Amino acid sequence: MGPLIATGNKKILDLEDVPQLDSSVSVSGAFSKFRNRLEAADSEGTGVTTLKLLKVLFFSDWKDILWTGLFVFMYSVASYVGPYLIDTFVQYLSGQREFKNEGYLLVTAFFVAKLVECISQMWWVFKSQHVGIRWRGVLIAMIYNKGLTLSCQSKQSQTSGEIINYMAVDAERVGDFCWYMHDTWTIVLQVALALLVLYKNLGAATFAAFVTTILVMSVNIPLGKMEENFQEKLMESKDKRMKATYETLKNMRILKLQGWEIKFLSKILGLRKVEEGWLKRFVYTSAMSSIVLWVSPSFVSLATFSACIYLRIPLESGKILSALATFRILQESIYGLPDMISMIVQTKVSLDRIVSYLRLDDLQPDVMEKLPRGSSDIAIEIVDGNFSWDLYSPTPTLKDLNLKVFYGMSIAVCGTIGSGKSSLLSCILGELSKISGTLKLCGTKAYVPQSPWIQSGKIEDNILFGKEMRRERYERVLEACNLNKDLEMLSFGDQTIIGERGINLSGGQKQRIQIARALYQDADIYLFDDPFSAVDAHTGSHLFKEVLLGILSSKTVIFVTHQLEFIPAADLVLVMKNGRITEAGKYNDIIDSGSDFKELVGAHEKALSALDHTIEVGSVYEKCVSEANGVIREMYKEGNEISEVDDVGPKGQLVEEEEREKGKVGFSVYWKYITTAYGGALIPFILLAQILFQVFQIGSNYWMAWASPAVEPPVGNVTLILVYLALVIASAFSVFAKSILLKIAGYKTATLLFKKMHLCIFRAPMSFFDSTPSGRILNRASTDQSAVDLNIPNQVAGVAVSVIQLLGIIVVMSQVAWQIFIIFIPVIAACIWYQQYYISSARELTRLIGVCKAPVIQNFSETISGATTIRGFDQESRFQQKNMILMDAYSRPKFHANGAMQWLCFRLDMLYSITFAFSLFFLIFIPDEIINPGIAGLAVTYGLNLNMLLSMLVWQICRMENKIISVERILQYSSIPSEPCLVIETNCPDLSWPFRGEVCIHDLQVRYAPHMPLVLRGLTCTFPGGLKTGIVGRTGSGKTTLIQTLFRIVEPTTGWIIIDGVNISSIGLHDLRLRLSIIPQDPTMFEGTIRSNLDPLEEYTDEQIWEALDKCQLGDQVRKNEGKLESIVGENGDNWSMGQRQLVCLGRVLLKKSKILVLDEATSSVDTATDNLIQTTLKEHFSECTVITIAHRVTSVVDSDMVMLLSQGVIEEYDSPASLLENKFSSFAQLVAEYTMRSK
C-alpha cells in the first residue's frame, strides 16, 4: 500500500496507477469454485435457498473466515486486559504495591495488550475485506449469468431496473456484511468477559449488570423485527422506482418529442413518495434503537452500583473505574448493536431477494436438440411443434409446426402483423417454451433482431463481436452492408464510439451494423427478422443483392420480411397466420394456390399501382440506369466536397469518459449538504445535544470517581446514586434529542436532493442523454441515493460525535496532570500529517470506485436488453467473462481503498499505543501525594479508549469524505444545463396555432455537439400548409435530424424554423411539442396499460380512445383481451408485436389531432397491407394537415404533394414527384425505378 499512497500524494490517481488484484481476490478465480459448490449443494434439484447460498458462501471462504474469527477473539480478549488491570493500577498509585517493579510490569502489560489489539484488528479487517470482495463478486456474476438464461416469462416478472438493483444494492450489501459477520458471537464473548471482570471487582452485583444487559438487548428484538419489515418494504418500493427510472431514461427521446417528460417525472416522484414513507419509518425505528443503546451502558452501570449498595459491597474508586472501563468497552459493542442488527436484517432481506431471483425459471434446456456441425444435411427440423411464450397460456403461440430446412436453403417468412413470424425465429433460437414436438438444429447460428441491439463502444467492436480481426473478411462485410460511405462521414470511422443503444446512429445504420455483425461471424444458419425495414430502397436492394444473394448464397437463411419484392428469390416461402404456417412452397406455386399469400401480394401491388399512375417507370429505368451510375458518382463526389468545406471545428467522440471531480472534496459540498434541510437550522441543536450528552456522561463518571475513594467518602450512598441517576437521565434526554433531530435533518436532505437531481435530469437537453450512458444516471439514482438516504447522516454525525468525545477525554486527562497534555500536541500533529498524507489517495480511490461501477451497471443493462441476440450468437461465455473483467476493475480501487484505510489505522493505533504507554510511565513516576489516584485512574480509563477513539475519528473523517462523494456526484447532476423553458408566459402562441401548418426553414445548420461535425448544412425550404411532403435520402443523410430540429430536440447552430409566422425558438418547448404530432422510427410502448400508453396525460374519454383504436385497426384486438383498455403492456411493450406497437403510435396521433404530423419511417415495421391501411387512415383523417413523411418505402412518399431528397445534410432535390420523375437523371427517378424493378 505504501507506494500507492505515496503516488497518490504526488499526483491524482488514475485506474492504471492502482495495482491488479491477486488471483485469490478476483472474481474470475473464485467464481468457478463457488458455482460448483452451489450446484453440489443443490444436487437434489429443489432450487437454491437462502440457507444453501449462505452455507456455500461460508464454505467457499471458510479458512479466511476462521482466521478472522481468531483475530476477533484475540482483539476482544486484549481489549479487556486494560479494565482488568485498572483496579491494580489505582491501588499502585495509592501506594499499595505488591512487589518492587510492579509499576513497570503493569505498564508493559497495558502496552502489550494494546499491541495485540492493534495487530489483530488490522488482520481481522483486512481478511474480512478479502472475503467481502469475493462474496460480492461471485454474487454479481451469478446474477449476471442468470440474466442471460431467464425465460421470457421470468423476464416479464423481473424488469431490468429490479435486476440492476440486485447487483448494485443487494450484492453490495452482502459483501459489506463480512465486516459484521463475527459480531453475533463477539457480543456474547465481550459480555462474558465483561461479567468476569465485573465479578472480580463487584462480586454478586455482576448479576444485576447481566440482567440489565439482557433487558437492553431484548428491547432491540421488536425494534429489529420492525426494521427488517421496513427494510423489505423500502427495497420493494426502491425496485419499483428504479424500474420506472430505467424505462423512462431508455425512452427519453420519445418522451421529449411528445412533451410527456414532466408527467413521467411526476410518476417517478410518486413512487419515491411511497419509498420515502418506508424510509421515514425505517430511520425513525433505527433512531429508537440507537437511543436505547446509547444510554444503556449508563443504566447498566446505575443498576450495578445500586446493587452494590443494596448488597453492601464497598464501592472503591479503583473497582468503580474498572467497572466503568468495562462498561465503556461493552458500550462500544452495544453501540454497534443497532448497526449489527440493521446489517443482519438488510443482509437477510438482500439474500432472500437474490435467492428469489435465482429461483426464477430459465429457458427450457431441452427445447432444442443441437447436432454437431456437419453431422446432417438438414439444418433445421421441427416436427409437430407447439410452442408458447407463456407455458400457462391456454393457447400456444405457435401451433402444429412442421418444417424441414436443408443446408443452403433460403426461406422467406411473410404474413400480417401479429401472425407469429418473429415468434417462429425465436422458436428456432430456443427462446419459446416447448409444449410438444421436436426441434433440431445442426450448426452454428447468427441472428439479426427486428429492433436493433447495438452495444455502446466502437463500431469495429460491434461488428467483430468477439471474433479476431480478419481484415479481408471485415472489408468485404463493410462493402456488402454498404457501410463504407457512412464510416467516411464519421469523424473516427469505425473507431467511432457508439452511444448507448446506438443513440448517435440512424435506424438504418444500426440495422446495417447488426447485419455486418452477423455476416462477420461466418455462421451456418442465419436468421433475419425483417432486416430491410429500417433502410431506404437503394440500400435495401444493395443489401439483398450483396448479402442474401452474395455472401450468404451458400448458407442457410431464414428471413422474415414485409417487403414482398424480395420473396421470389427464396427457395421456400412460408406464409403465417395466427401462429400457424398456413402456406408453404415456392413463390410461383403458392401465388396461384394460396389465398393468404394472394392477399398479401394484392396489397403490395395496390401500393405499387400508385407509381404507375405517375410515370411509365420500366422504360425510364432501362434508359437511365446506365447513365445514372456516372451521375450518382458525381453526386457523391460533390457531397463529399461540401462536407469538407462545412465540417469545421474540433472533432470528438459523442460519448466521453465519465467526468469525475478531482482533488479535495470542496467545503461547498459539505455546506450544501448540511444546509439543504431547513437551511441548516437543526445543526446547532444537534451539536448542542451531543455536547450536553458528553458533558453528562463525563460528569457522571467523574462524580463516581471523586465521590467514592477508598477512605472517607465525601457523600452518602443515597446521594451518590441519586446524583448519578440525575446525570444518566439528563444524558438520555440529550441523546434522544440528538437522534431524532439527526434523523429529521437526514431524511429531509435526502428527499430534497432526490427531487433536485431528478428535476435537473428530466429538464436536461437530449444531448445530455445521448452522451451519458444510463448506467451513470442509474448509479446516482440507486447507489448514491441509497448512501444519502441511509449512511451519510450517520457518517457526518459520527465525525462530530468523535471530535466531541476526544475533546472530553483530553480535558479529563489534563485534569490529572497538565504535562500529559504536552504529549498530545506532537501526537495530534502526527495524526493530522498522516491523515493528510493518506486522504488524497483515499479520495481518488473512492471516486474511481464510482467511475468503475457505472460500466458494470451499463454492461448489465445492455446485456439484459440484448440477451436474445447474445444467445443467438452463442456468446454467453464471452459476455460472462467480460462482466468478470469489469467486476475486477471495480474491485481494484475498492480493495485498495480499504487497504489504504487499514494502512492508516494501523499506524495511528501504534502511535496512540506508544503515547498511552508514555502517559502511564509519567503517572508512575509522579510522587503519590501530587495526584488523586481516583482521578488518575479515571484518566487511564479514558486513555484506554484513546487509541480506539482517535483512530475512529480519523476513520470517520476519511469515511465521511469517501461517502460525501455520493453527495458530490448527485450535486454534479443537479446542475446540468437545462433545456429552454417549457412554457414562456410572455410569448405563448394562440390556442389555435398552428392554424395552416406552413413550415418555413431558412439556412438551417445543425450539429449534435460543439465538437461534432455539421449534420445539416444550410437547408432553406418551405413545407406548404395542408400538403403532404415526403423526405427521402440515403441512411445518414440527415432526415431524422431535420425532424429533431423541428421539435427542438436539437437546437439549430444557425438559421431558424418558422411555423405559421411563429419562430419556434421563441416559444416554450411544450407549447411547440404538444402542438405537433409524431410517429417515431422506433415504436415505443411503456409498461402499464393500453389506456396509459395512448393517453398518458389523461386528457381523453374512453369513447375517444376506442374511436382512435378502431381507426388504427387495433380495436378488435384490444376488445379480445380480457382487460380491454386496461390490457397489460409489459416492459418495452414486449408482449405486443413490433407492428402492433407502431399502430399504437398511430393511435396516439389520431387522438391528438394536430395540424402538423411527422411520420419518421413510421411504417417500416408493418406489412404492406397494414401500411396501406395506415396510409388510407392518414389520408382520411389528416387530409387538411401538413404531413411530413420520412420513408424508405417509395410507395409511402410517391403520392405526396412534394418530395425532398437529402444527401449528406443538404437538399439535393425538392419538387413535386411528377416533376422529379419527368427528369430521367433525377436521383428520385432512379430511386423509384430501382424500387419498382426490384418489386416486379
Side-chain angles (χ1 to χ4, degrees):
M1 288 308 309
L4 178 65
I5 292 170
T7 305
N9 204 38
K10 291 173 193 162
K11 66 184 274 281
I12 288 170
L13 287 178
D14 289 311
L15 192 59
E16 52 268 22
D17 298 318
V18 182
Q20 293 293 337
L21 291 176
D22 185 74
S23 59
S24 64
V25 187
S26 77
V27 186
S28 315
F31 179 67
S32 55
K33 291 177 191 170
F34 172 80
R35 186 180 52 203
N36 294 339
R37 281 180 186 273
L38 194 60
E39 285 168 1
D42 189 35
S43 53
E44 66 274 19
T46 54
V48 182
T49 63
T50 305
L51 185 61
K52 281 179 192 171
L53 183 60
L54 202 53
K55 277 167 69 178
V56 170
L57 285 169
F58 177 82
F59 285 112
S60 299
D61 283 295
W62 68 271
K63 285 183 184 172
D64 276 350
I65 291 171
L66 290 181
W67 272 113
T68 54
L70 176 63
F71 292 130
V72 171
F73 179 80
M74 289 168 63
Y75 172 80
S76 299
V77 172
S79 65
Y80 276 95
V81 170
Y84 184 83
L85 294 175
I86 278 183
D87 186 26
T88 312
F89 191 73
V90 170
Q91 287 173 13
Y92 176 85
L93 293 178
S94 304
Q96 302 171 34
R97 295 165 190 184
E98 300 281 328
F99 50 90
K100 187 181 177 186
N101 292 320
E102 187 185 3
Y104 296 116
L105 195 62
L106 281 170
V107 172
T108 306
F110 275 118
F111 181 60
V112 169
K114 278 291 165 198
L115 282 184
V116 171
E117 201 180 317
C118 292
I119 293 166
S120 56
Q121 185 186 30
M122 181 190 73
W123 279 104
W124 153 37
V125 174
F126 189 68
K127 287 283 184 189
S128 294
Q129 179 208 342
H130 268 225
V131 175
I133 283 178
R134 278 197 294 268
W135 281 16
R136 188 186 68 246
V138 294
L139 285 174
I140 289 178
M142 284 292 292
I143 294 164
Y144 181 89
N145 294 358
K146 182 74 178 179
L148 281 170
T149 60
L150 278 181
S151 68
C152 178
Q153 208 173 341
S154 300
K155 218 169 177 180
Q156 285 182 355
S157 70
Q158 298 284 318
T159 61
S160 310
E162 287 174 311
I163 298 172
I164 286 167
N165 251 2
Y166 296 139
M167 181 214 72
V169 178
D170 294 304
E172 197 80 38
R173 189 167 287 138
V174 175
D176 289 343
F177 173 69
C178 292
W179 300 80
Y180 297 84
M181 75 167 88
H182 294 294
D183 285 10
T184 44
W185 64 267
T186 309
I187 285 179
V188 175
L189 172 67
Q190 291 196 334
V191 169
L193 289 169
L195 293 173
L196 282 173
V197 174
L198 288 171
Y199 189 77
K200 177 213 168 221
N201 292 311
L202 304 176
T206 305
F207 183 70
F210 177 68
V211 172
T212 318
T213 303
I214 295 299
L215 282 172
V216 166
M217 289 183 166
S218 61
V219 168
N220 268 287
I221 293 170
L223 287 172
K225 283 183 178 171
M226 285 169 69
E227 273 192 69
E228 179 177 8
N229 180 40
F230 295 150
Q231 172 73 17
E232 241 175 89
K233 299 289 187 189
L234 179 63
M235 290 309 296
E236 281 172 22
S237 54
K238 184 178 177 131
D239 281 346
K240 286 178 184 168
R241 171 175 66 81
M242 287 305 297
K243 174 176 158 186
T245 306
Y246 176 74
E247 183 182 50
T248 304
L249 291 175
K250 199 165 64 173
N251 297 307
M252 188 57 79
R253 185 175 299 277
I254 186 68
L255 294 181
K256 286 194 175 287
L257 284 168
Q258 301 281 11
W260 293 344
E261 69 270 35
I262 300 303
K263 176 71 180 177
F264 276 70
L265 171 61
S266 65
K267 178 184 169 185
I268 288 171
L269 291 177
L271 291 168
R272 171 68 180 177
K273 199 82 182 162
V274 175
E275 186 185 347
E276 283 169 3
W278 294 113
L279 176 64
K280 186 186 277 189
R281 292 180 181 92
F282 180 79
V283 295
Y284 285 152
T285 309
S286 66
M288 294 310 297
S289 293
S290 67
I291 290 164
V292 168
L293 292 159
W294 270 92
V295 298
S296 60
S298 299
F299 280 107
V300 171
S301 54
L302 177 67
T304 309
F305 297 147
S306 301
C308 284
I309 290 169
Y310 180 76
L311 296 169
R312 302 185 187 283
I313 296 167
L315 284 175
E316 296 170 6
S317 56
K319 295 185 188 308
I320 285 177
L321 290 170
S322 179
L324 287 174
T326 305
F327 291 140
R328 280 184 67 78
I329 294 180
L330 192 58
Q331 179 183 22
E332 294 301 329
S333 301
I334 297 178
Y335 278 178
L337 197 58
D339 279 347
M340 187 201 78
I341 291 171
S342 176
M343 197 66 201
I344 289 173
V345 164
Q346 291 179 33
T347 305
K348 184 184 178 299
V349 170
S350 290
L351 279 169
D352 288 343
R353 282 158 50 83
I354 291 169
V355 164
S356 67
Y357 169 70
L358 294 176
R359 288 176 68 90
L360 291 173
D361 291 336
D362 286 339
L363 291 165
Q364 285 181 355
D366 59 343
V367 169
M368 181 198 305
E369 185 186 338
K370 289 188 179 179
L371 303 174
R373 195 174 193 172
S375 62
S376 168
D377 59 345
I378 298 172
I380 301 164
E381 184 176 16
I382 305 174
V383 180
D384 299 329
N386 287 285
F387 300 88
S388 181
W389 286 111
D390 181 1
L391 263 179
Y392 305 105
S393 169
T395 315
T397 310
L398 297 173
K399 302 175 273 286
D400 308 325
L401 290 188
N402 284 285
L403 178 65
K404 192 178 283 188
V405 180
F406 290 92
Y407 266 112
M409 280 184 78
S410 171
I411 296 180
V413 183
C414 56
T416 56
I417 57 169
S419 58
K421 304 182 297 298
S422 296
S423 295
L424 176 64
L425 294 190
S426 296
C427 160
I428 294 167
L429 288 167
E431 296 290 315
L432 272 70
S433 299
K434 183 169 69 175
I435 297 168
S436 62
T438 59
L439 164 61
K440 294 178 183 175
L441 187 139
C442 179
T444 57
K445 60 190 188 300
Y447 170 59
V448 177
Q450 190 173 14
S451 295
W453 178 72
I454 302 289
Q455 283 181 279
S456 49
K458 293 177 189 171
I459 291 175
E460 180 189 280
D461 295 339
N462 267 277
I463 295 171
L464 297 181
F465 206 54
K467 292 269 186 181
E468 286 185 9
M469 169 62 85
R470 287 158 52 204
R471 181 57 63 182
E472 190 181 333
R473 180 167 185 82
Y474 183 74
E475 295 296 344
R476 192 179 168 209
V477 165
L478 290 182
E479 183 58 44
C481 295
N482 209 12
L483 279 168
N484 284 320
K485 187 61 62 180
D486 300 272
L487 296 180
E488 283 172 24
M489 290 168 68
L490 295 168
S491 304
F492 293 86
D494 64 359
Q495 299 304 302
T496 299
I497 293 175
I498 301 171
E500 192 176 14
R501 299 184 307 279
I503 206 89
N504 48 337
L505 299 173
S506 71
Q509 286 169 330
K510 283 189 271 190
Q511 189 71 289
R512 284 181 289 129
I513 286 171
Q514 273 208 126
I515 295 169
R517 175 172 66 205
L519 290 184
Y520 192 79
Q521 297 301 301
D522 198 17
D524 302 317
I525 301 165
Y526 282 84
L527 305 172
F528 291 97
D529 194 352
D530 203 8
F532 310 120
S533 61
V535 296
D536 56 65
H538 169 78
T539 310
S541 298
H542 179 92
L543 286 173
F544 184 70
K545 182 182 169 188
E546 295 295 329
V547 176
L548 293 186
L549 304 181
I551 291 180
L552 300 183
S553 57
S554 61
K555 302 280 186 181
T556 308
V557 180
I558 301 181
F559 64 97
V560 169
T561 186
H562 291 132
Q563 278 93 333
L564 300 190
E565 57 270 22
F566 297 127
I567 289 178
D571 300 321
L572 180 69
V573 179
L574 304 179
V575 182
M576 296 203 69
K577 192 172 187 180
N578 298 327
R580 284 188 168 88
I581 298 173
T582 55
E583 294 161 21
K586 287 196 174 286
Y587 178 84
N588 292 329
D589 297 340
I590 62 169
I591 198 155
D592 297 328
S593 60
S595 58
D596 292 332
F597 190 58
K598 262 186 185 167
E599 199 179 306
L600 290 169
V601 173
H604 181 60
E605 287 174 346
K606 182 181 171 187
L608 281 174
S609 64
L611 294 173
D612 296 325
H613 289 309
T614 319
I615 194 161
E616 192 62 39
V617 181
S619 57
V620 171
Y621 180 82
E622 286 164 16
K623 286 178 193 170
C624 74
V625 162
S626 60
E627 300 168 48
N629 287 335
V631 175
I632 290 169
R633 275 196 295 274
E634 287 300 312
M635 178 183 90
Y636 282 139
K637 187 177 171 188
E638 195 174 275
N640 281 338
E641 283 165 10
I642 292 167
S643 170
E644 284 162 21
V645 173
D646 286 9
D647 186 7
V648 292
K651 296 182 180 181
Q653 298 281 20
L654 175 71
V655 180
E656 295 175 339
E657 281 198 21
E658 179 168 5
E659 180 189 340
R660 67 178 167 112
E661 302 289 339
K662 295 189 176 178
K664 191 174 182 181
V665 176
F667 176 72
S668 62
V669 175
Y670 293 97
W671 185 250
K672 280 176 188 168
Y673 178 74
I674 62 174
T675 57
T676 296
Y678 312 109
L682 296 181
I683 304 302
F685 295 104
I686 294 169
L687 290 173
L688 177 63
Q690 181 60 39
I691 290 166
L692 287 173
F693 172 73
Q694 193 63 29
V695 167
F696 292 135
Q697 284 277 292
I698 290 173
S700 62
N701 293 341
Y702 198 94
W703 168 255
M704 291 303 288
W706 174 81
S708 55
V711 288
E712 296 179 26
V715 294
N717 285 337
V718 175
T719 309
L720 180 77
I721 291 298
L722 283 176
V723 172
Y724 190 68
L725 175 64
L727 290 167
V728 167
I729 290 170
S731 67
F733 275 111
S734 302
V735 82
F736 175 81
K738 185 214 88 170
S739 296
I740 295 298
L741 289 174
L742 178 65
K743 297 302 178 185
I744 290 170
Y747 168 78
K748 185 70 175 174
T749 302
T751 56
L752 291 173
L753 286 175
F754 179 90
K755 281 178 187 163
K756 189 176 180 187
M757 178 176 79
H758 277 70
L759 184 62
C760 277
I761 288 170
F762 275 69
R763 287 288 292 114
M766 202 60 223
S767 57
F768 169 75
F769 299 95
D770 290 347
S771 59
T772 307
S774 63
R776 292 181 195 169
I777 303 171
L778 291 171
N779 201 1
R780 284 163 173 82
S782 62
T783 312
D784 291 323
Q785 187 63 46
S786 226
V788 172
D789 287 346
L790 300 170
N791 304 121
I792 294 175
N794 296 332
Q795 294 297 336
V796 175
V799 172
V801 168
S802 296
V803 168
I804 291 165
Q805 285 182 326
L806 180 63
L807 291 173
I809 288 179
I810 291 171
V811 168
V812 169
M813 291 189 79
S814 56
Q815 279 289 304
V816 182
W818 62 266
Q819 293 89 341
I820 290 177
F821 189 69
I822 297 167
I823 301 172
F824 279 103
I825 295 170
V827 171
I828 289 171
C831 292
I832 292 167
W833 182 85
Y834 263 123
Q835 195 263 348
Q836 291 299 314
Y837 182 73
Y838 150 87
I839 195 66
S840 53
S841 301
R843 188 192 307 119
E844 297 312 320
L845 285 167
T846 305
R847 284 177 175 144
L848 282 171
I849 292 168
V851 170
C852 291
K853 189 169 187 178
V856 177
I857 295 177
Q858 177 70 20
N859 181 56
F860 217 87
S861 59
E862 277 189 354
T863 302
I864 292 162
S865 60
T868 306
T869 307
I870 293 166
R871 289 192 293 264
F873 285 89
D874 297 317
Q875 293 260 7
E876 296 98 318
S877 59
R878 182 172 73 87
F879 275 80
Q880 288 165 2
Q881 194 59 40
K882 181 184 175 186
N883 176 58
M884 289 185 192
I885 290 166
L886 288 171
M887 271 304 306
D888 282 342
Y890 166 51
S891 296
R892 268 165 65 199
K894 197 171 181 74
F895 174 83
H896 287 93
N898 289 329
M901 177 74 77
Q902 286 317 301
W903 179 93
L904 175 70
C905 286
F906 178 70
R907 279 155 180 75
L908 295 180
D909 279 354
M910 292 303 292
L911 197 61
Y912 302 143
S913 299
I914 294 164
T915 308
F916 183 56
F918 268 118
S919 303
L920 293 179
F921 272 119
F922 187 76
L923 288 174
I924 63 172
F925 281 120
I926 293 177
D928 296 354
E929 62 277 1
I930 293 179
I931 58 168
N932 179 335
I935 303 302
L938 181 64
V940 175
T941 305
Y942 276 99
L944 280 172
N945 276 5
L946 182 64
N947 72 315
M948 188 190 294
L949 187 62
L950 277 169
S951 58
M952 178 64 75
L953 173 59
V954 173
W955 186 74
Q956 290 273 24
I957 289 170
C958 299
R959 197 169 164 82
M960 178 182 73
E961 181 152 350
N962 292 346
K963 285 286 182 188
I964 206 80
I965 287 168
S966 287
V967 176
E968 181 183 63
R969 284 159 58 80
I970 285 173
L971 290 173
Q972 197 182 50
Y973 275 22
S974 301
S975 55
I976 306 162
S978 167
E979 277 186 309
C981 295
L982 297 178
V983 177
I984 298 172
E985 299 290 348
T986 55
N987 194 25
C988 288
D990 192 77
L991 287 175
S992 61
W993 179 88
F995 31 87
R996 288 196 317 279
E998 182 180 77
V999 181
C1000 299
I1001 299 172
H1002 178 75
D1003 191 27
L1004 188 66
Q1005 294 188 18
V1006 175
R1007 54 163 49 99
Y1008 280 100
H1011 59 271
M1012 302 287 287
L1014 284 169
V1015 182
L1016 297 180
R1017 311 164 186 279
L1019 269 59
T1020 300
C1021 63
T1022 299
F1023 299 150
L1027 297 185
K1028 188 176 176 187
T1029 303
I1031 303 176
V1032 293
R1034 277 189 80 248
T1035 298
S1037 59
K1039 306 186 294 293
T1040 300
T1041 303
L1042 175 58
I1043 299 310
Q1044 291 194 73
T1045 313
L1046 181 64
F1047 282 79
R1048 288 179 65 194
I1049 296 295
V1050 186
E1051 295 287 340
T1053 306
T1054 57
W1056 60 81
I1057 298 176
I1058 292 174
I1059 298 177
D1060 287 347
V1062 175
N1063 184 339
I1064 63 169
S1065 297
S1066 67
I1067 60 172
L1069 292 179
H1070 275 188
D1071 280 335
L1072 171 68
R1073 291 169 186 170
L1074 291 170
R1075 311 288 180 96
L1076 309 180
S1077 287
I1078 184 167
I1079 304 180
Q1081 188 172 359
D1082 297 320
T1084 304
M1085 287 177 78
F1086 303 93
E1087 189 169 9
T1089 64
I1090 283 291
R1091 183 200 301 277
S1092 68
N1093 268 276
L1094 284 166
D1095 181 25
L1097 302 184
E1098 299 165 9
E1099 295 175 325
Y1100 303 102
T1101 63
D1102 282 10
E1103 290 73 24
Q1104 289 171 308
I1105 294 172
W1106 278 116
E1107 186 187 341
L1109 282 169
D1110 288 330
K1111 285 176 186 173
C1112 68
Q1113 313 298 319
L1114 268 179
D1116 293 340
Q1117 173 71 40
V1118 175
R1119 283 188 185 91
K1120 276 185 212 166
N1121 294 340
E1122 194 180 328
K1124 304 288 193 289
L1125 289 180
E1126 302 305 320
S1127 298
I1128 297 296
V1129 176
E1131 189 182 13
N1132 306 322
D1134 284 342
N1135 55 336
W1136 296 76
S1137 77
M1138 185 72 93
Q1140 287 167 330
R1141 281 181 251 167
Q1142 198 65 283
L1143 293 176
V1144 169
C1145 295
L1146 174 64
R1148 287 176 189 152
V1149 301
L1150 288 165
L1151 270 175
K1152 209 170 178 185
K1153 295 176 182 167
S1154 301
K1155 198 70 183 173
I1156 296 175
L1157 170 63
V1158 175
L1159 307 175
D1160 188 356
E1161 292 161 6
T1163 58
S1164 60
S1165 304
V1166 296
D1167 56 82
T1168 314
T1170 311
D1171 188 9
N1172 289 344
L1173 282 170
I1174 291 174
Q1175 298 302 334
T1176 307
T1177 306
L1178 293 174
K1179 278 177 193 167
E1180 187 180 335
H1181 299 286
F1182 291 91
S1183 54
E1184 295 179 5
C1185 300
T1186 305
V1187 180
I1188 301 167
T1189 307
I1190 293 176
H1192 291 148
R1193 288 181 183 164
V1194 176
T1195 52
S1196 302
V1197 294
V1198 78
D1199 63 342
S1200 302
D1201 300 297
M1202 300 291 285
V1203 171
M1204 175 191 288
L1205 193 139
L1206 284 175
S1207 174
Q1208 296 185 10
V1210 294
I1211 299 172
E1212 188 179 320
E1213 296 171 358
Y1214 184 39
D1215 210 334
S1216 68
S1219 303
L1220 290 172
L1221 288 170
E1222 281 170 11
N1223 176 5
K1224 63 181 181 178
F1225 292 112
S1226 80
S1227 299
F1228 184 67
Q1230 293 155 31
L1231 205 63
V1232 171
E1234 185 173 352
Y1235 182 82
T1236 314
M1237 287 302 290
R1238 184 181 85 179
S1239 304
K1240 290 195 172 179

